[in-house]
Amino acid sequence: MLNTYLKIVLSSALLLSVVTSFSEKAKAQVFVNDTFTDGGRTNGADPLDISWFEISSNFDQTVSTPPQIKLGVVNDPILGTGNALNLDTPSFVTFNSSFLPPHFALGTFAPVSLGNNIGDALDLSFDFRFTTQPSLSSTSAEFPQIRGSGLRFGLYNSGDTPVTTDTLASLVGSGTPIEDDGGYLVVSGLAGTSSLGINRENFDSEDSITGGNGNIQLVSTTSVPTINDTALHTANLVLKRLTPQLVRLTTSIDGSSVETSDSGSGIISSFNEIAVRSVFSNLDVNIDNVVLQTRTSTSVPEPSTNIALFGLGLGWLLKRKFYRSIK
């Protein structure tokens, strides 16, 4: 009879574990999954794809040829078996060494928010590769002083002015839709520079996103590999709710990561834009498998708690058997 009780308890524990695992997986919800299979950069035939826009600056202290970044869908067997979005960054010259002309891709989608419960998370990931090797040249055209942020990407909120078309403007005090956006920006080092960091860009800076006025560094490290090839790489940015007024941010490139936190009224928790930028002159990058998903926290007992519950259940059954045997 005891063996029968043990079988019942063990079977119940196994069933509980299976149900628990299933419930945890079911709490993840995907909002963006853009693989560019339909061959376009707009919100087309593919489920969960988004619209991508060309954003460039024609600031009068720079000259870019052509003047604007070009986005196109190309076949890239290195990133996978299908298509990828190509960011064709133009060649540029600047007459102001402290100003880099913004040329970036901006993906737009319906607003997605980080949950309010402790443990809720928002996860952005994508694959990328440069189509040519990031240059080690010391010429001014490659801006060696900014190699520590040669690749930039982030999650943004459009504020009150969503982007609905390709934009070519100064992006500095000209009132374009991009100038009131806010969000979190990841910067990664290229061409021999090992660095990875997370910045916050505040709303209404009257400057371009992906690095400009209102850009505040939250964390930076040099304890990561540099990117100096045309191989496949994977980028990731995760926001996780620690308390109602504290959010942890973690970013990684190929698994090498850095984390920080943001707190108080400055927390940005709702997003409807993804930005990707190659900062070097004439350095193109392909991106693919762009995924944005939320994970909702669940109250799942720790292993020690499950063991305790199992022990209580077993003890209760043994107690019943003991009392029945002495009647």
Side-chain angles (χ1 to χ4, degrees):
M1 179 64 71
L2 180 58
N3 288 338
T4 301
Y5 284 124
L6 286 175
K7 288 180 180 178
I8 293 173
V9 174
L10 290 173
S11 299
S12 300
L14 177 61
L15 178 60
L16 177 61
S17 298
V18 170
V19 171
T20 299
S21 298
F22 176 80
S23 65
E24 286 178 329
K25 292 179 182 178
K27 292 300 182 179
Q29 183 175 359
V30 178
F31 289 88
V32 174
N33 185 13
D34 205 340
T35 59
F36 308 100
T37 305
D38 62 6
R41 63 178 174 99
T42 58
N43 188 3
D46 294 338
L48 301 178
D49 67 356
I50 62 178
S51 294
W52 293 88
F53 296 102
E54 303 168 352
I55 309 295
S56 287
S57 174
N58 63 352
F59 190 60
D60 59 8
Q61 296 188 49
T62 65
V63 175
S64 298
T65 307
Q68 190 160 359
I69 190 174
K70 296 297 181 184
L71 304 181
V73 176
V74 298
N75 182 265
D76 191 332
I78 297 178
L79 286 183
T81 58
N83 294 331
L85 183 67
N86 172 251
L87 283 61
D88 187 355
T89 305
S91 299
F92 56 81
V93 176
T94 180
F95 306 107
N96 181 346
S97 60
S98 64
F99 182 84
L100 298 173
H103 297 288
F104 58 92
L106 189 75
T108 63
F109 48 91
V112 178
S113 296
L114 174 65
N116 294 320
N117 295 325
I118 307 306
D120 287 352
L122 185 62
D123 187 328
L124 168 67
S125 64
F126 63 94
D127 297 328
F128 71 92
R129 77 175 189 91
F130 295 100
T131 60
T132 57
Q133 183 177 350
S135 175
L136 294 171
S137 169
S138 60
T139 63
S140 60
E142 299 300 344
F143 297 100
Q145 69 270 28
I146 54 86
R147 286 180 183 158
S149 59
L151 173 71
R152 306 181 186 186
F153 68 91
L155 279 169
Y156 288 91
N157 184 303
S158 65
D160 297 324
T161 55
V163 173
T164 58
T165 186
D166 296 337
T167 300
L168 175 61
S170 73
L171 305 184
V172 181
S174 61
T176 57
I178 213 72
E179 293 178 57
D180 65 348
D181 301 5
Y184 294 105
L185 170 69
V186 176
V187 295
S188 178
L190 305 180
T193 301
S194 300
S195 62
L196 183 63
I198 304 174
N199 297 3
R200 186 182 72 224
E201 296 200 84
N202 294 323
F203 291 97
D204 300 312
S205 67
E206 296 185 354
D207 198 354
S208 170
I209 58 173
T210 70
N213 295 332
N215 186 39
I216 301 171
Q217 184 182 88
L218 299 179
V219 67
S220 181
T221 182
T222 57
S223 300
V224 293
T226 187
I227 299 175
N228 190 31
D229 54 39
T230 59
L232 182 153
H233 300 278
T234 299
N236 186 240
L237 173 62
V238 178
L239 283 68
K240 186 174 183 179
R241 180 81 64 182
L242 299 183
T243 73
Q245 293 296 315
L246 182 65
V247 170
R248 183 173 66 208
L249 299 101
T250 306
T251 188
S252 66
I253 303 290
D254 300 334
S256 297
S257 65
V258 64
E259 70 176 40
T260 185
S261 61
D262 201 9
S263 61
S265 60
I267 292 175
I268 302 172
S269 58
S270 180
F271 308 92
N272 61 351
E273 298 173 332
I274 299 168
V276 182
R277 176 181 176 185
S278 170
V279 177
F280 281 13
S281 172
N282 198 33
L283 180 61
D284 298 354
V285 61
N286 290 349
I287 65 172
D288 197 8
N289 305 315
V290 182
V291 176
L292 179 66
Q293 60 183 327
T294 60
R295 296 194 301 272
T296 303
S297 176
T298 55
S299 299
V300 179
E302 294 293 328
S304 58
T305 305
N306 284 327
I307 292 172
L309 291 174
F310 174 77
L312 287 173
L314 179 60
W316 179 80
L317 287 173
L318 292 174
K319 183 178 180 181
R320 285 191 61 192
K321 177 176 175 59
F322 173 77
Y323 280 131
R324 285 181 180 178
S325 65
I326 62 176
K327 286 182 178 179

